[in-house]
Amino acid sequence: MVKLAISGCQGRMGQRITALALYDKAFKIAALLENKNRHDVPMMSHDIPVNFEDSSIKGSDVLIEFTTPEATIAHLKTCQKYGVNMVIGTTGLSKPQIAQIKRASSMIAIVFSSNMSVGVNLVFALIRQAAQVTGKDYAITLSETHHVHKKDAPSGTAKTMADIAGQYAQILVKDIASIREGEVIGDHTITFESPVDLISIHHHAKTRDIFAEGSLVAAKFLSKKKKGLFNMQDVLGLKNDN
């Protein structure tokens, strides 16, 4: 059984991760963690105490983190201190912060991904294949739409899509359109266009549960790891080193 800690437990993602973990017999929720500066947080959630001190994660196997870059880095240090592995789905991290995550992976095991969805990671694999075949003969464009509350643009997922396409097509992909409207969970579309045809790969997220479910899959993967940096392609066995 995986002893699970959940950061940002009263946020939208945190609540869904908690709810799904409670129904999965592979997990025992060891700690629910929240920001001590929030004043609307209950003392208990699902009959589990809500903690405000980072030290509450001590004894957990894995911490799932979907919060802010600043909180993520603070919790990264705590996880290193107590030997707790991490699933990091936080977006908007700076290059120095990402470098800190990479360094920490020499001590603990980390799954760090711009998108924890199984479906989106399948899309990443499809993009890789499409870019390998089309190469420089096709123009590549991307568009992404999210809810008005999302702060970073383009989304981390769109950036990953562009990076994969550019790497395997051997071109620089810069054309990313970002739209913020309503309560859209997440729409991503990438197109490969030539003078004779257009190939489109699209993913539409219906609920946030796709990210919550993916993070739990990643947590199970990490329960068998000691250290190292992984992404969801590793977790799902979609890595292609060719």
Side-chain angles (χ1 to χ4, degrees):
M1 183 174 289
V2 181
K3 291 178 286 186
L4 187 67
I6 301 169
S7 178
C9 66
Q10 291 303 293
R12 286 176 292 184
M13 276 299 302
Q15 290 187 51
R16 293 309 304 151
I17 294 167
T18 302
L20 294 174
L22 286 169
Y23 283 100
D24 192 328
K25 294 181 180 180
F27 294 103
K28 176 184 178 181
I29 297 180
L32 295 177
L33 183 63
E34 252 303 343
N35 185 340
K36 61 185 176 183
N37 294 320
R38 285 190 61 170
H39 303 294
D40 58 341
V41 177
M43 297 303 294
M44 302 284 289
S45 178
H46 300 279
D47 295 323
I48 303 170
V50 176
N51 297 283
F52 299 92
E53 299 300 326
D54 294 356
S55 59
S56 65
I57 69 172
K58 183 180 180 180
S60 300
D61 296 317
V62 181
L63 171 68
I64 297 181
E65 184 83 28
F66 283 84
T67 58
T68 65
E70 294 74 24
T72 298
I73 296 304
H75 297 155
L76 179 70
K77 295 175 182 176
T78 305
C79 284
Q80 288 177 266
K81 179 179 179 179
Y82 294 120
V84 178
N85 292 338
M86 286 187 79
V87 174
I88 301 176
T90 302
T91 59
L93 290 152
S94 67
K95 288 183 178 179
Q97 288 169 331
I98 292 172
Q100 284 183 263
I101 291 171
K102 291 179 179 178
R103 287 194 296 271
S105 69
S106 66
M107 297 178 61
I108 59 175
I110 301 171
V111 171
F112 174 42
S113 183
S114 62
N115 195 304
M116 294 290 169
S117 160
V118 171
V120 165
N121 278 276
L122 176 58
V123 165
F124 289 162
L126 293 172
I127 291 170
R128 182 174 63 233
Q129 185 176 14
Q132 285 174 320
V133 174
T134 59
K136 297 179 180 179
D137 297 330
Y138 283 65
I140 303 173
T141 59
L142 287 97
S143 66
E144 57 95 356
T145 303
H146 283 86
H147 51 84
V148 295
H149 314 289
K150 187 171 179 62
K151 297 178 181 179
D152 55 315
S155 68
T157 299
K159 290 178 181 178
T160 300
M161 292 169 73
D163 289 344
I164 294 170
Q167 177 185 348
Y168 288 94
Q170 297 185 346
I171 59 176
L172 181 62
V173 180
K174 296 189 293 183
D175 191 357
I176 304 176
S178 297
I179 300 169
R180 298 290 175 264
E181 62 182 18
E183 295 295 331
V184 178
I185 302 298
D187 284 344
H188 292 86
T189 302
I190 185 169
T191 62
F192 298 80
E193 186 171 8
S194 76
V196 295
D197 65 356
L198 183 148
I199 303 163
S200 179
I201 301 173
H202 176 73
H203 184 272
H204 169 68
K206 292 183 177 181
T207 78
R208 287 184 177 83
D209 280 7
I210 65 169
F211 312 120
E213 289 172 351
S215 70
L216 293 175
V217 172
K220 292 175 184 176
F221 172 86
L222 282 184
S223 68
K224 301 175 183 177
K225 303 294 182 183
K226 296 295 184 183
K227 61 182 180 180
L229 183 63
F230 308 93
N231 59 31
M232 285 301 289
Q233 298 285 297
D234 297 306
V235 172
L236 301 171
L238 295 172
K239 242 347 182 341
N240 180 3
D241 296 324
N242 296 329

